[in-house]
Amino acid sequence: MDRLDNTVRPYAWGSPTAIPGLLGVEPTGEPQAEMWMGAHPGAPSRTARGTLVEVIEADPERELGARTTAKFGPRLPFLLKLLAAGAPLSLQVHPDLRQAREGHEDEECRGIPVDAPHRNYKDANHKPELVCALTEFDGLCGFREPARAAALLEGLGVDSLKPYVDLLHARPEDAALREVLTALLTADRDEMAHTVAEAAAACDRLGGDYAPYAGIAHHHPGDPGVIAALLLNHVRLQPGEALFLGAGVPHAYLSGLGVEIMANSDNVLRCGLTPKHVDVPELLRIVRFEPGDPGVLRPEAAPDGEEVYDTPVDEFRLSRHVLPEGAAARDLTVPTPQILLCTAGAVHVGEHRLTPGHSVFVPAGEKVQMSGAGTLFRATVVL
């Protein structure tokens, strides 16, 4: 079992206080957006035996187990994060596995460097993800019903938005959403700036359902992505609630601290609210124009006290144990690799005492118990 030393990524949208507050350390004054736990080559966790990438490469079957290695290959299939949003992230979608493989092969054949700013597919893997709120957590997830989106836009009282309102009343619904998003993504940014400014001022004045979009506009003035964001469902998670983001679902996190887990990939196609590259044709190929409820997840209790967040993927499985003071120790031994992260209290995992923000990697099949009083998240795979 290895105690993990993890990298914090200082992306501009990160909160300067949330992760330091969880860790119980002084803020640096700089944004601290994500703490990565896993074996992603971009920022692998460090152990006393080397990076987690090196540890796994030295003996994949010992660390991951024969069945995990046979199913996913000689690498850890998931990446666990603490995510602290102090400002809105970019609107984005992720490809499915077939799309990722095709896109990666195409860009490799065309010789696009993996670090090129216009590169879409850094790897050949899909990136389903789950975020579980530790604090109140705001995000956007999936398309609203077009009629509801039209009513929201119309309620702003901005005349130049009327063409989009009319399009959203068209049928079929998926075609209406596609046409409006395409129009927004291909519009001249300078020509759209006045419309976005009017819409932002109206959101700020009206408040209520419009308040989240006023905040987005404050961080991204003049960006047509502000209008695109109004097409999406706003979701406010309470601590312990979660969202699952499948392939093609447009989303953005706005604020809050959460535990995030995903397939071990870095493939992102952006829709807006970013100065980075937006590949409109490829994006429109990936987005699923399917309106509906975003589906807030709550954990399902298992007999051993574990609370499981059920998702339709095998690369990761996220659960938590909330151990009250004086409770009996719990056996956490499983035949799969796992990362255990403490988010509250103080718990003992083997010989390690974990406090909030601290984690360990447990090789497949290694005997491990949890004791103490606190909350422990478990990341593993499904066989």
Side-chain angles (χ1 to χ4, degrees), residues 117-181:
H118 61 291
R119 175 97 183 210
N120 294 316
Y121 299 96
K122 306 294 178 67
D123 53 69
N125 201 14
H126 63 164
K127 193 188 175 187
E129 62 188 43
L130 175 79
V131 63
C132 176
L134 295 179
T135 65
E136 196 170 76
F137 193 97
D138 277 35
L140 306 176
C141 179
F143 288 107
R144 298 177 186 272
E145 296 292 335
R148 291 180 56 226
L152 201 66
L153 290 181
E154 193 167 29
L156 292 171
V158 177
D159 290 343
S160 50
L161 289 177
K162 189 176 185 307
Y164 303 112
V165 172
D166 292 341
L167 285 172
L168 287 168
H169 284 302
R171 289 288 187 271
E173 290 187 335
D174 59 344
L177 289 168
R178 176 183 288 274
E179 193 163 351
V180 172
L181 186 63

Side-chain angles (χ1 to χ4, degrees), residues 88 200 212-221 226:
Y213 304 97
I216 293 170
H218 172 76
H219 289 284
H220 297 279
V226 173

Side-chain angles (χ1 to χ4, degrees), residues 21-363:
L22 186 72
L23 292 169
V25 299
E26 285 296 317
T28 64
E30 299 297 317
Q32 298 191 30
E34 297 179 346
M35 187 171 77
W36 289 21
M37 291 158 278
H40 192 287
S45 298
R46 299 169 293 278
T47 78
R49 298 187 285 158
T51 70
L52 196 51
V53 170
E54 294 166 341
V55 168
I56 291 170
E57 286 180 344
D59 194 346
E61 288 202 6
R62 162 72 185 87
E63 304 298 334
L64 305 178
R67 292 175 63 197
T68 299
T69 304
K71 185 170 184 176
F72 300 107
R75 61 185 185 88
L76 191 65
F78 62 83
L79 176 64
L80 184 68
K81 298 179 180 180
L82 281 173
L83 183 145
L89 282 68
S90 61
L91 281 174
Q92 57 189 260
V93 296
H94 306 304
D96 64 25
L97 191 55
R98 177 186 60 80
Q99 292 164 339
R101 288 171 174 169
E102 291 174 353
H104 182 260
E105 181 179 1
D106 174 65
E107 291 184 330
E108 288 289 288
C109 289
R110 288 192 283 140
I112 301 175
V114 73
D115 58 351
H118 61 291
R119 175 97 183 210
N120 294 316
Y121 299 96
K122 306 294 178 67
D123 53 69
N125 201 14
H126 63 164
K127 193 188 175 187
E129 62 188 43
L130 175 79
V131 63
C132 176
L134 295 179
T135 65
E136 196 170 76
F137 193 97
D138 277 35
L140 306 176
C141 179
F143 288 107
R144 298 177 186 272
E145 296 292 335
R148 291 180 56 226
L152 201 66
L153 290 181
E154 193 167 29
L156 292 171
V158 177
D159 290 343
S160 50
L161 289 177
K162 189 176 185 307
Y164 303 112
V165 172
D166 292 341
L167 285 172
L168 287 168
H169 284 302
R171 289 288 187 271
E173 290 187 335
D174 59 344
L177 289 168
R178 176 183 288 274
E179 193 163 351
V180 172
L181 186 63
T182 302
L184 290 169
L185 293 176
T186 55
D188 183 275
R189 191 181 178 110
D190 292 336
E191 291 179 5
M192 280 289 293
H194 181 68
T195 295
V196 175
E198 276 195 273
C203 287
D204 195 41
R205 181 180 70 255
L206 293 168
D209 290 343
Y210 293 99
Y213 304 97
I216 293 170
H218 172 76
H219 289 284
H220 297 279
D223 192 322
V226 173
I227 309 299
L230 284 155
L231 303 177
L232 305 186
N233 296 296
H234 173 244
V235 185
R236 176 163 292 164
L237 301 178
Q238 298 304 312
E241 295 180 334
L243 277 178
F244 173 73
L245 290 309
V249 177
H251 62 279
Y253 302 141
L254 304 181
S255 65
L257 176 66
V259 174
E260 186 182 34
I261 190 168
M262 62 196 62
N264 200 355
S265 171
D266 201 23
N267 287 325
V268 176
L269 287 102
R270 295 174 177 84
C271 317
L273 308 181
T274 178
K276 295 182 179 179
H277 176 63
V278 176
D279 184 336
V280 176
E282 185 64 12
L283 176 72
L284 295 174
R285 189 177 77 88
I286 300 303
V287 172
R288 294 183 179 175
F289 293 94
E290 300 171 358
D293 188 283
V296 174
L297 293 176
R298 295 172 181 84
E300 299 177 6
D304 60 357
E306 186 178 34
E307 299 175 328
V308 181
Y309 293 91
D310 187 35
T311 60
V313 296
D314 292 345
E315 283 88 348
F316 61 77
R317 175 184 184 273
L318 186 70
S319 62
R320 69 177 183 177
H321 285 265
V322 180
L323 199 64
E325 190 75 45
R330 293 181 185 175
D331 184 16
L332 302 183
T333 307
V334 290
T336 51
Q338 49 186 326
I339 290 178
L340 304 176
L341 166 69
C342 177
T343 60
V347 296
H348 292 271
V349 178
E351 72 275 20
H352 299 283
R353 181 178 183 271
L354 301 183
T355 53
H358 294 275
S359 56
V360 293
F361 171 74
V362 184

